[in-house]
Amino acid sequence: MILVLISDSVGTGSKVLLLHGWGLNSEVWQPLVERLQDRFQFVLLDLPGFGHNQQLVPDSYDLDSLTTLIAEQLKEPMIVMGWSLGGLVAQQLALQFPKLVRALICVTSTPKFLATEQWPGIKADVLRAFATQLRSDPQKTIERFLAIQALGSERAKADIQNLKMLLANRPTPSKLALAKGLAILEQADLCEQIGSIRCPTLRIYGRNDSLVPKSTLEQVELLQPSASSMLFPGASHAPFISHADEFADAVSEYLGKCLIA
């Protein structure tokens, strides 16, 4: 039985599928949608177990099965933009279902979130601490994660408040989906595969991001040299919130060139 996920569609023009990050929902994209809905048709899809799909949690919840489930919702090729965890799904979508992805935009995402001696990222003990806290207090865990996402931003307090406000507009996420999502962040590793992505790719980073350090940029460029990279000075993990105008302009300009080419 195929799960049918709830999605919203806003705007006119080329279709852009938006995939949010861990602990949140598609409401986080509202600043972008408000600015570009006259140029693009945005498909806002909550990941299984999050937002409007809070009760739709598949039996198998790993990166491959999650990506397949998302692919089953798509009726035509789209531009795919994924933030953080959503960026992992977006990359896997481009690898596993290339005919469905016209172009790929990864926002403060990476082929591998877990830090190792050779790879910058989130330390294992941080992810495990989140997993431990999640079992006793999911809400506090999400709030702590929001704080880390804004850490280093020029507008950190405002970013956190905006994210909290947007998050509150949809149902709270499933505890199981939260736990499985953390496991994906800890286990997923697409480093050896991303060089095979053939669609136009833009990777956006925040200079002050503590979850996806700016040093990731150079490493990813070596793995996927065909991709374009963009670094937002003064931004942390959510540049579409902290630098909404600049972010929208950058995405619009890139997609304009990409769709003409």
Side-chain angles (χ1 to χ4, degrees), residues 1 19 26 35 44 53-55 64 78-79 105 137 147 163 167 188 199 214 223 231 233 246 256:
M1 178 181 175
L19 300 174
S26 293
R35 286 164 174 79
L44 298 147
N53 293 312
Q54 187 259 1
Q55 297 186 18
D64 285 343
M78 296 183 188
I79 300 156
I105 301 179
D137 195 337
L163 287 168
L167 176 62
C199 65
K214 66 178 185 295
L223 296 172
L231 183 67
E246 299 96 317

Side-chain angles (χ1 to χ4, degrees), residues 103-114:
L104 172 66
I105 301 179
C106 294
V107 183
T108 56
S109 193
T110 170
K112 179 181 178 179
F113 277 86
L114 183 67

